[in-house]
Amino acid sequence: MDALLAGIQNAFALGPLLAIAAGVSIGIFMGAVPGLTAAMAIALLAPITFGMDPLTAVAFLIGIYKGGTFGGSISAILLNVPGSPEATATAFDGYPLSKSGRAKQALQMALFASVCGAILADLMLYAVAGPFSKIALKFGPAELTFVVLFAFTFVAGLTGGSLARGLIACAFGVLCAMVGLDPMSASPRMTFGIVELLDGLPLIPIAIGMLGLAEVMVAAERAFLRRKEVSSDTESSPISATSGPHLSLPEFARHWKTVLRSSLIGSAIGALPGIGASLAAFIGYGTAQKYSKTPEKFGKGTLDGVAAPEAANSAVVGGSFVPLLTLGIPGNVTTALLIGTFLVHGIEPGPHVFKTEPALIYGIFTILFVANFFNLAIGLMGSGLYAHIVKAPEYVSYSIIGLTCMTGVFASTNSIVSLYIMIIFAVIGYLMKKFDYSFVAFLIGFVLAPEFEVSFRSFLLVAQGDPLGLLMTRPIALAFCLLTIVAVLRIVWSEHQRRTRSATSLKNTPDPSSGQKNP
């Protein structure tokens, strides 16, 4: 109880509250601008938190995470251009509502559903994280080895175009994490005589390069290809965020079943590594349509079609902190970046932190909860302003992002080598986007590789030449080993069925040159 009260008191100090407000404001802005995301904002701004105390730094980044999740809905509703991938499903009904003169209602529904979904997920985090951490304390090298292996497989299979590409991206992340000193023998590995690499490849330059600078390169390529294209279509002007009536509280309350259902879906999906908020939003949208009394209205402008994806993708935030805090396993790109910040501040996520620093954990829980109300207040006050920001030309926003990438990396590391690393991984990130290799799988492989290596090598030492025999005596490790095998088989079977369906549909498609007509 003392730790709980201390955590709440620390979270309500002036520093963390100001950090939450600043983070939410930046997050909504980054989420609202198409192409920019909360993950990119965290990668760019994480270096400025290194001088803050741990709780204030975490509060700032959580604020960005919360604000960015809602911010993507602004451009999705007003421009029909999702500001972030998880807001894609929001555009299906949000934009038709705006075109029919109900833009304000759509934005307010997105905001209220986001806040409610996040609050429910955070309450579930309070209830689940503590008991789960006690179970996780029993994990030894064998359990950690197969938990991380399961996370690798799960992430690789559910992100990117195929299991093979996901595994390649994950394995490349593990390979990059091998650079530096061997954790057991302290001998250099793959440093090529560069002293700066003895501590390993730094996370922040890699993340900024692959998230920020690679996106600038993609945008530059897109602009170059558009230069010579002459389009006959004229883009419609953005719809005003202040048009239409307000969303009344009784009207919002009529959609409580949709919000609750999507919140539970988002919380569950957030706790699974690698699935992400985008899939949660689509599942929430599809489930809402399935249980709706008027499913024919979906896609034509219904508030349920806005509430469902927004509640689901916001609930993912709270759900993603369950594996992060209890096992030290990030569920997505954003929480992988948060692990880097935690480690810089001397916080090692995992079950032991619940015993060593309970006040800090309860402070983080409180910040997650309080950030929702900042998100509500700033979202209500700033929707009109953010609606004007999304009109900024693409070349302006991406020029600023490119400059910020360079200055941010150099200011945080004061090393030219870090700039080279960022540029190299920006090119790698660009190529991964072009050839559909999962950045999520790469980053989670990179972040978890040190823990996996130490656990695996310790497991082999304890096994003394009989790893299978040791595995049979560890039921939790055996369960995760079997889950990994089942996950691989299921993903391979799903890919096989997809290829079979694709080949069958291609075979049944008549050749246009043969003059045959479709049956």
Side-chain angles (χ1 to χ4, degrees):
M1 182 59 72
D2 291 339
L4 173 62
L5 294 176
I8 294 173
Q9 183 179 0
N10 293 339
F12 277 96
L14 181 61
L17 291 178
L18 290 176
I20 294 171
V24 168
S25 302
I26 294 170
I28 295 177
F29 162 68
M30 292 292 280
V33 178
L36 310 185
T37 62
M40 189 185 297
I42 289 174
L44 291 172
L45 298 176
I48 72 173
T49 67
F50 294 165
M52 303 178 183
D53 67 85
L55 197 60
T56 303
V58 172
F60 179 64
L61 299 181
I62 286 176
I64 294 175
Y65 194 4
K66 293 273 188 178
T69 305
F70 158 69
S73 66
I74 295 176
S75 55
I77 290 170
L78 298 180
L79 304 176
N80 201 27
V81 180
S84 53
E86 58 264 27
T88 302
T90 307
F92 294 164
D93 284 274
Y95 188 63
L97 283 169
S98 296
K99 289 176 69 177
S100 64
R102 300 170 64 190
K104 186 182 291 186
Q105 277 192 339
L107 285 171
Q108 289 176 348
M109 175 56 80
L111 178 61
F112 296 160
S114 293
V115 171
C116 289
I119 288 174
L120 289 171
D122 294 342
L123 291 175
M124 290 183 66
L125 175 64
Y126 266 100
V128 171
F132 192 73
S133 69
K134 293 178 182 177
I135 298 173
L137 281 172
K138 300 178 182 179
F139 284 18
E143 287 77 12
L144 287 174
T145 296
F146 288 99
V147 166
V148 176
L149 188 63
F150 173 70
F152 284 161
T153 307
F154 208 75
V155 170
L158 294 175
T159 57
S162 67
L163 176 63
R165 290 183 180 184
L167 287 174
I168 289 171
C170 188
F172 181 54
V174 173
L175 177 67
C176 291
M178 296 294 103
V179 175
L181 295 177
D182 185 289
M184 292 189 172
S185 66
S187 57
R189 300 184 302 195
M190 296 185 288
T191 59
F192 306 104
I194 302 172
V195 177
E196 287 85 353
L197 295 183
L198 289 175
D199 289 332
L201 291 170
L203 174 63
I204 295 300
I206 290 175
I208 291 178
M210 298 188 82
L211 270 173
L213 208 56
E215 187 63 36
V216 172
M217 294 168 67
V218 171
E221 179 193 38
R222 191 166 57 236
F224 177 77
L225 294 175
R226 277 203 307 254
R227 262 174 49 184
K228 297 183 179 180
E229 292 180 2
V230 179
S231 175
S232 58
D233 298 330
T234 56
E235 294 183 1
S236 58
S237 59
I239 299 165
S240 171
T242 58
S243 65
H246 283 280
L247 179 71
S248 64
L249 193 58
E251 188 171 8
F252 171 73
R254 285 200 291 270
H255 303 274
W256 70 271
K257 290 183 180 179
T258 299
V259 173
L260 178 61
R261 189 188 305 114
S262 291
S263 301
L264 295 174
I265 290 170
S267 300
I269 288 177
L272 297 173
I275 297 183
S278 299
L279 183 59
F282 280 105
I283 292 176
Y285 184 88
T287 307
Q289 186 175 15
K290 179 181 177 181
Y291 287 98
S292 174
K293 295 179 180 178
T294 55
E296 68 279 358
K297 292 184 179 179
F298 278 73
K300 299 177 182 177
T302 176
L303 290 174
D304 259 344
V306 174
E310 285 302 306
N313 64 34
S314 294
V316 168
V317 177
S320 65
F321 274 81
V322 174
L324 174 69
L325 295 177
T326 58
L327 296 174
I329 293 176
N332 51 37
V333 174
T334 311
T335 49
L337 295 172
L338 287 175
I339 280 187
T341 305
F342 285 163
L343 295 176
V344 167
H345 288 281
I347 308 167
E348 186 172 354
H352 294 285
V353 77
F354 282 79
K355 293 189 71 175
T356 58
E357 298 188 69
L360 176 65
I361 291 297
Y362 285 117
I364 292 173
F365 287 171
T366 306
I367 285 168
L368 280 164
F369 193 74
V370 171
N372 298 317
F373 298 97
F374 278 88
N375 203 7
L376 176 64
I378 294 171
L380 284 174
M381 292 187 296
S383 292
L385 173 63
Y386 290 118
H388 289 292
I389 290 173
V390 300
K391 303 176 191 177
E394 196 176 62
Y395 66 85
V396 173
S397 57
Y398 281 107
S399 297
I400 295 172
I401 291 297
L403 181 62
T404 306
C405 290
M406 297 286 188
T407 55
V409 166
F410 186 76
S412 62
T413 61
N414 198 28
S415 169
I416 295 295
V417 174
S418 294
L419 282 176
Y420 292 149
I421 292 171
M422 180 191 68
I423 293 169
I424 290 169
F425 278 91
V427 175
I428 293 172
Y430 167 79
L431 294 174
M432 288 177 74
K433 287 176 185 287
K434 296 293 290 182
F435 294 101
D436 194 26
Y437 283 86
S438 170
F439 168 71
V440 179
F442 167 84
L443 190 62
I444 290 181
F446 181 80
V447 170
L448 293 182
E451 183 177 357
F452 176 70
E453 181 186 7
V454 172
S455 300
F456 181 59
R457 291 169 70 172
S458 300
F459 167 65
L460 293 179
L461 288 173
V462 173
Q464 295 182 346
D466 186 18
L468 185 59
L470 178 61
L471 182 61
M472 291 301 176
T473 65
R474 311 291 295 188
I476 296 177
L478 181 61
F480 275 101
C481 180
L482 294 175
L483 281 173
T484 302
I485 295 170
V486 170
V488 170
L489 293 176
R490 185 176 178 83
I491 293 166
V492 170
W493 175 249
S494 299
E495 288 188 8
H496 173 70
Q497 286 185 315
R498 187 170 64 245
R499 289 196 192 99
T500 303
R501 286 194 299 267
S502 177
T504 303
S505 61
L506 188 63
K507 185 178 179 180
N508 293 336
T509 303
D511 186 359
S513 62
S514 65
Q516 295 178 355
K517 295 183 179 180
N518 290 330

Short mmCIF file of all heavy atoms in Angstrom, two decimals, residues 10-28 52 55-67 363-376 378:
data_model
loop_
_atom_site.label_atom_id
_atom_site.label_comp_id
_atom_site.label_asym_id
_atom_site.label_seq_id
_atom_site.Cartn_x
_atom_site.Cartn_y
_atom_site.Cartn_z
N ASN A 10 4.12 10.49 -6.59
CA ASN A 10 5.18 10.86 -7.53
C ASN A 10 4.61 11.22 -8.91
O ASN A 10 5.10 12.13 -9.58
CB ASN A 10 6.18 9.71 -7.68
CG ASN A 10 6.96 9.44 -6.41
OD1 ASN A 10 7.07 10.32 -5.55
ND2 ASN A 10 7.49 8.23 -6.27
N ALA A 11 3.58 10.50 -9.33
CA ALA A 11 3.00 10.76 -10.65
C ALA A 11 2.29 12.10 -10.71
O ALA A 11 2.20 12.71 -11.77
CB ALA A 11 2.02 9.64 -11.01
N PHE A 12 1.77 12.56 -9.57
CA PHE A 12 1.04 13.83 -9.54
C PHE A 12 1.94 15.02 -9.21
O PHE A 12 1.44 16.11 -8.94
CB PHE A 12 -0.13 13.76 -8.56
CG PHE A 12 -1.36 13.14 -9.13
CD1 PHE A 12 -1.64 11.79 -8.92
CD2 PHE A 12 -2.24 13.88 -9.90
CE1 PHE A 12 -2.77 11.20 -9.46
CE2 PHE A 12 -3.37 13.30 -10.45
CZ PHE A 12 -3.63 11.95 -10.23
N ALA A 13 3.25 14.82 -9.24
CA ALA A 13 4.18 15.95 -9.10
C ALA A 13 4.11 16.82 -10.36
O ALA A 13 3.65 16.39 -11.42
CB ALA A 13 5.59 15.44 -8.87
N LEU A 14 4.59 18.05 -10.24
CA LEU A 14 4.49 19.00 -11.34
C LEU A 14 5.24 18.53 -12.58
O LEU A 14 4.74 18.64 -13.71
CB LEU A 14 5.01 20.38 -10.90
CG LEU A 14 4.93 21.50 -11.95
CD1 LEU A 14 3.48 21.75 -12.35
CD2 LEU A 14 5.58 22.78 -11.41
N GLY A 15 6.44 17.98 -12.40
CA GLY A 15 7.26 17.57 -13.53
C GLY A 15 6.58 16.53 -14.41
O GLY A 15 6.43 16.74 -15.62
N PRO A 16 6.14 15.40 -13.85
CA PRO A 16 5.45 14.40 -14.68
C PRO A 16 4.17 14.92 -15.33
O PRO A 16 3.88 14.58 -16.48
CB PRO A 16 5.14 13.27 -13.70
CG PRO A 16 6.19 13.39 -12.66
CD PRO A 16 6.44 14.86 -12.52
N LEU A 17 3.41 15.77 -14.63
CA LEU A 17 2.17 16.29 -15.21
C LEU A 17 2.46 17.19 -16.42
O LEU A 17 1.78 17.11 -17.45
CB LEU A 17 1.37 17.06 -14.16
CG LEU A 17 0.77 16.22 -13.02
CD1 LEU A 17 0.04 17.12 -12.02
CD2 LEU A 17 -0.19 15.17 -13.57
N LEU A 18 3.47 18.06 -16.30
CA LEU A 18 3.85 18.90 -17.44
C LEU A 18 4.38 18.04 -18.59
O LEU A 18 4.12 18.33 -19.77
CB LEU A 18 4.90 19.93 -17.01
CG LEU A 18 4.43 21.04 -16.07
CD1 LEU A 18 5.60 21.92 -15.64
CD2 LEU A 18 3.34 21.89 -16.72
N ALA A 19 5.13 16.99 -18.24
CA ALA A 19 5.67 16.11 -19.28
C ALA A 19 4.55 15.38 -20.01
O ALA A 19 4.59 15.22 -21.24
CB ALA A 19 6.63 15.09 -18.65
N ILE A 20 3.51 14.96 -19.28
CA ILE A 20 2.37 14.30 -19.93
C ILE A 20 1.69 15.26 -20.90
O ILE A 20 1.37 14.91 -22.04
CB ILE A 20 1.36 13.81 -18.88
CG1 ILE A 20 1.95 12.69 -18.03
CG2 ILE A 20 0.08 13.30 -19.56
CD1 ILE A 20 1.09 12.30 -16.84
N ALA A 21 1.45 16.51 -20.43
CA ALA A 21 0.78 17.50 -21.28
C ALA A 21 1.58 17.76 -22.56
O ALA A 21 1.03 17.80 -23.67
CB ALA A 21 0.56 18.79 -20.51
N ALA A 22 2.90 17.94 -22.40
CA ALA A 22 3.74 18.19 -23.57
C ALA A 22 3.76 16.97 -24.49
O ALA A 22 3.66 17.09 -25.73
CB ALA A 22 5.16 18.53 -23.12
N GLY A 23 3.85 15.78 -23.92
CA GLY A 23 3.90 14.56 -24.72
C GLY A 23 2.61 14.33 -25.49
O GLY A 23 2.65 13.99 -26.68
N VAL A 24 1.47 14.53 -24.85
CA VAL A 24 0.19 14.34 -25.53
C VAL A 24 0.05 15.33 -26.68
O VAL A 24 -0.41 14.96 -27.78
CB VAL A 24 -0.98 14.49 -24.52
CG1 VAL A 24 -2.31 14.60 -25.26
CG2 VAL A 24 -1.01 13.31 -23.57
N SER A 25 0.43 16.59 -26.46
CA SER A 25 0.32 17.61 -27.52
C SER A 25 1.17 17.23 -28.72
O SER A 25 0.72 17.29 -29.88
CB SER A 25 0.76 18.97 -26.98
OG SER A 25 -0.02 19.35 -25.87
N ILE A 26 2.42 16.82 -28.46
CA ILE A 26 3.31 16.42 -29.55
C ILE A 26 2.79 15.15 -30.23
O ILE A 26 2.82 15.02 -31.46
CB ILE A 26 4.74 16.20 -29.02
CG1 ILE A 26 5.33 17.54 -28.54
CG2 ILE A 26 5.64 15.59 -30.08
CD1 ILE A 26 6.63 17.39 -27.78
N GLY A 27 2.29 14.22 -29.42
CA GLY A 27 1.80 12.96 -29.97
C GLY A 27 0.61 13.16 -30.91
O GLY A 27 0.54 12.56 -31.98
N ILE A 28 -0.34 14.01 -30.50
CA ILE A 28 -1.50 14.28 -31.37
C ILE A 28 -1.05 14.93 -32.67
O ILE A 28 -1.53 14.57 -33.76
CB ILE A 28 -2.53 15.17 -30.64
CG1 ILE A 28 -3.12 14.43 -29.43
CG2 ILE A 28 -3.66 15.57 -31.59
CD1 ILE A 28 -4.09 15.25 -28.62
N MET A 52 16.30 13.93 -17.82
CA MET A 52 15.17 14.01 -16.89
C MET A 52 15.26 12.88 -15.86
O MET A 52 16.00 11.92 -16.04
CB MET A 52 13.84 13.88 -17.64
CG MET A 52 13.61 14.89 -18.74
SD MET A 52 12.02 14.55 -19.58
CE MET A 52 12.05 15.81 -20.86
N LEU A 55 10.81 8.98 -13.94
CA LEU A 55 9.36 9.03 -14.03
C LEU A 55 8.90 10.14 -14.98
O LEU A 55 7.95 9.95 -15.75
CB LEU A 55 8.74 9.24 -12.64
CG LEU A 55 7.25 8.92 -12.53
CD1 LEU A 55 7.00 7.46 -12.87
CD2 LEU A 55 6.74 9.23 -11.13
N THR A 56 9.59 11.27 -14.97
CA THR A 56 9.24 12.37 -15.89
C THR A 56 9.51 11.96 -17.33
O THR A 56 8.71 12.26 -18.23
CB THR A 56 10.04 13.63 -15.54
OG1 THR A 56 9.79 13.99 -14.18
CG2 THR A 56 9.65 14.79 -16.43
N ALA A 57 10.63 11.28 -17.56
CA ALA A 57 10.95 10.82 -18.92
C ALA A 57 9.90 9.84 -19.42
O ALA A 57 9.43 9.94 -20.56
CB ALA A 57 12.34 10.16 -18.93
N VAL A 58 9.52 8.90 -18.57
CA VAL A 58 8.49 7.92 -18.97
C VAL A 58 7.16 8.61 -19.21
O VAL A 58 6.42 8.29 -20.15
CB VAL A 58 8.37 6.82 -17.88
CG1 VAL A 58 7.18 5.92 -18.17
CG2 VAL A 58 9.64 6.00 -17.82
N ALA A 59 6.84 9.61 -18.37
CA ALA A 59 5.57 10.35 -18.53
C ALA A 59 5.52 11.06 -19.87
O ALA A 59 4.48 11.07 -20.55
CB ALA A 59 5.42 11.36 -17.39
N PHE A 60 6.63 11.65 -20.27
CA PHE A 60 6.69 12.36 -21.55
C PHE A 60 6.46 11.40 -22.72
O PHE A 60 5.66 11.67 -23.63
CB PHE A 60 8.04 13.04 -21.68
CG PHE A 60 8.25 13.79 -22.97
CD1 PHE A 60 7.48 14.89 -23.28
CD2 PHE A 60 9.23 13.39 -23.87
CE1 PHE A 60 7.67 15.59 -24.48
CE2 PHE A 60 9.43 14.07 -25.06
CZ PHE A 60 8.64 15.18 -25.36
N LEU A 61 7.11 10.26 -22.69
CA LEU A 61 6.99 9.29 -23.80
C LEU A 61 5.62 8.61 -23.81
O LEU A 61 5.07 8.34 -24.88
CB LEU A 61 8.11 8.26 -23.71
CG LEU A 61 9.53 8.84 -23.82
CD1 LEU A 61 10.56 7.72 -23.74
CD2 LEU A 61 9.72 9.63 -25.10
N ILE A 62 5.06 8.33 -22.63
CA ILE A 62 3.72 7.77 -22.58
C ILE A 62 2.71 8.76 -23.14
O ILE A 62 1.76 8.39 -23.84
CB ILE A 62 3.36 7.35 -21.14
CG1 ILE A 62 4.11 6.08 -20.76
CG2 ILE A 62 1.85 7.15 -20.98
CD1 ILE A 62 3.91 5.64 -19.32
N GLY A 63 2.90 10.06 -22.82
CA GLY A 63 2.02 11.08 -23.38
C GLY A 63 2.05 11.09 -24.90
O GLY A 63 1.01 11.20 -25.56
N ILE A 64 3.25 10.95 -25.48
CA ILE A 64 3.36 10.89 -26.95
C ILE A 64 2.63 9.66 -27.48
O ILE A 64 1.90 9.73 -28.49
CB ILE A 64 4.85 10.85 -27.35
CG1 ILE A 64 5.55 12.16 -27.00
CG2 ILE A 64 4.99 10.58 -28.85
CD1 ILE A 64 7.04 12.17 -27.26
N TYR A 65 2.81 8.53 -26.82
CA TYR A 65 2.19 7.27 -27.24
C TYR A 65 0.66 7.40 -27.23
O TYR A 65 -0.02 7.05 -28.20
CB TYR A 65 2.65 6.17 -26.29
CG TYR A 65 2.38 4.75 -26.73
CD1 TYR A 65 1.83 4.45 -27.98
CD2 TYR A 65 2.70 3.68 -25.90
CE1 TYR A 65 1.60 3.14 -28.37
CE2 TYR A 65 2.46 2.36 -26.28
CZ TYR A 65 1.91 2.10 -27.51
OH TYR A 65 1.67 0.80 -27.88
N LYS A 66 0.12 7.94 -26.15
CA LYS A 66 -1.34 8.09 -26.02
C LYS A 66 -1.87 9.08 -27.05
O LYS A 66 -2.87 8.82 -27.75
CB LYS A 66 -1.69 8.56 -24.62
CG LYS A 66 -1.41 7.58 -23.51
CD LYS A 66 -2.56 6.63 -23.30
CE LYS A 66 -2.36 5.78 -22.05
NZ LYS A 66 -3.49 4.88 -21.79
N GLY A 67 -1.22 10.25 -27.16
CA GLY A 67 -1.69 11.28 -28.09
C GLY A 67 -1.59 10.85 -29.53
O GLY A 67 -2.48 11.11 -30.34
N GLY A 363 3.78 4.33 -10.17
CA GLY A 363 3.83 5.66 -10.78
C GLY A 363 3.56 5.59 -12.27
O GLY A 363 2.83 6.41 -12.83
N ILE A 364 4.13 4.58 -12.95
CA ILE A 364 3.89 4.39 -14.39
C ILE A 364 2.42 4.06 -14.63
O ILE A 364 1.80 4.58 -15.57
CB ILE A 364 4.81 3.29 -14.94
CG1 ILE A 364 6.28 3.76 -14.92
CG2 ILE A 364 4.42 2.91 -16.37
CD1 ILE A 364 7.27 2.69 -15.29
N PHE A 365 1.85 3.18 -13.80
CA PHE A 365 0.42 2.85 -13.94
C PHE A 365 -0.43 4.11 -13.81
O PHE A 365 -1.38 4.32 -14.59
CB PHE A 365 0.00 1.85 -12.85
CG PHE A 365 0.50 0.46 -13.06
CD1 PHE A 365 0.37 -0.50 -12.08
CD2 PHE A 365 1.11 0.08 -14.26
CE1 PHE A 365 0.82 -1.80 -12.27
CE2 PHE A 365 1.56 -1.21 -14.46
CZ PHE A 365 1.42 -2.15 -13.46
N THR A 366 -0.10 4.94 -12.84
CA THR A 366 -0.88 6.17 -12.63
C THR A 366 -0.73 7.13 -13.80
O THR A 366 -1.70 7.76 -14.24
CB THR A 366 -0.43 6.86 -11.32
OG1 THR A 366 -0.50 5.93 -10.24
CG2 THR A 366 -1.30 8.07 -11.01
N ILE A 367 0.47 7.23 -14.33
CA ILE A 367 0.70 8.11 -15.48
C ILE A 367 -0.10 7.63 -16.69
O ILE A 367 -0.69 8.44 -17.41
CB ILE A 367 2.22 8.16 -15.79
CG1 ILE A 367 2.92 9.04 -14.76
CG2 ILE A 367 2.47 8.70 -17.20
CD1 ILE A 367 4.42 8.95 -14.81
N LEU A 368 -0.12 6.32 -16.92
CA LEU A 368 -0.93 5.78 -18.02
C LEU A 368 -2.39 6.18 -17.87
O LEU A 368 -3.06 6.54 -18.85
CB LEU A 368 -0.81 4.26 -18.04
CG LEU A 368 0.44 3.67 -18.70
CD1 LEU A 368 0.61 2.20 -18.31
CD2 LEU A 368 0.37 3.79 -20.21
N PHE A 369 -2.88 6.13 -16.64
CA PHE A 369 -4.29 6.46 -16.38
C PHE A 369 -4.54 7.96 -16.53
O PHE A 369 -5.50 8.39 -17.18
CB PHE A 369 -4.66 5.98 -14.98
CG PHE A 369 -6.13 5.97 -14.70
CD1 PHE A 369 -6.94 4.98 -15.26
CD2 PHE A 369 -6.72 6.94 -13.90
CE1 PHE A 369 -8.31 4.98 -15.02
CE2 PHE A 369 -8.07 6.93 -13.65
CZ PHE A 369 -8.87 5.95 -14.21
N VAL A 370 -3.67 8.77 -15.95
CA VAL A 370 -3.85 10.23 -15.98
C VAL A 370 -3.70 10.78 -17.40
O VAL A 370 -4.39 11.73 -17.79
CB VAL A 370 -2.85 10.90 -15.02
CG1 VAL A 370 -2.85 12.42 -15.19
CG2 VAL A 370 -3.17 10.55 -13.57
N ALA A 371 -2.82 10.17 -18.19
CA ALA A 371 -2.59 10.65 -19.56
C ALA A 371 -3.86 10.62 -20.40
O ALA A 371 -4.01 11.42 -21.33
CB ALA A 371 -1.50 9.82 -20.23
N ASN A 372 -4.79 9.73 -20.06
CA ASN A 372 -6.05 9.66 -20.81
C ASN A 372 -6.85 10.95 -20.67
O ASN A 372 -7.46 11.42 -21.63
CB ASN A 372 -6.88 8.48 -20.32
CG ASN A 372 -6.19 7.15 -20.55
OD1 ASN A 372 -5.60 6.92 -21.59
ND2 ASN A 372 -6.24 6.28 -19.56
N PHE A 373 -6.84 11.54 -19.49
CA PHE A 373 -7.62 12.75 -19.26
C PHE A 373 -6.94 13.97 -19.90
O PHE A 373 -7.61 14.89 -20.37
CB PHE A 373 -7.83 12.95 -17.76
CG PHE A 373 -8.61 11.83 -17.13
CD1 PHE A 373 -7.97 10.79 -16.49
CD2 PHE A 373 -10.00 11.81 -17.23
CE1 PHE A 373 -8.69 9.74 -15.93
CE2 PHE A 373 -10.73 10.77 -16.67
CZ PHE A 373 -10.07 9.73 -16.02
N PHE A 374 -5.60 13.97 -19.94
CA PHE A 374 -4.90 15.00 -20.70
C PHE A 374 -5.22 14.86 -22.19
O PHE A 374 -5.40 15.86 -22.89
CB PHE A 374 -3.39 14.90 -20.48
CG PHE A 374 -2.91 15.55 -19.22
CD1 PHE A 374 -2.88 14.86 -18.01
CD2 PHE A 374 -2.50 16.87 -19.22
CE1 PHE A 374 -2.45 15.46 -16.85
CE2 PHE A 374 -2.06 17.50 -18.06
CZ PHE A 374 -2.03 16.78 -16.86
N ASN A 375 -5.27 13.63 -22.66
CA ASN A 375 -5.61 13.37 -24.05
C ASN A 375 -7.01 13.91 -24.37
O ASN A 375 -7.23 14.52 -25.42
CB ASN A 375 -5.56 11.86 -24.32
CG ASN A 375 -5.35 11.52 -25.78
OD1 ASN A 375 -5.11 12.39 -26.62
ND2 ASN A 375 -5.45 10.25 -26.10
N LEU A 376 -7.94 13.70 -23.45
CA LEU A 376 -9.31 14.18 -23.63
C LEU A 376 -9.34 15.71 -23.68
O LEU A 376 -9.94 16.30 -24.59
CB LEU A 376 -10.19 13.67 -22.49
CG LEU A 376 -11.64 14.15 -22.46
CD1 LEU A 376 -12.39 13.67 -23.69
CD2 LEU A 376 -12.34 13.67 -21.19
N ILE A 378 -6.82 18.00 -24.13
CA ILE A 378 -6.06 18.61 -25.23
C ILE A 378 -6.72 18.29 -26.57
O ILE A 378 -6.75 19.12 -27.48
CB ILE A 378 -4.60 18.12 -25.19
CG1 ILE A 378 -3.92 18.64 -23.93
CG2 ILE A 378 -3.83 18.57 -26.43
CD1 ILE A 378 -2.54 18.05 -23.67
#
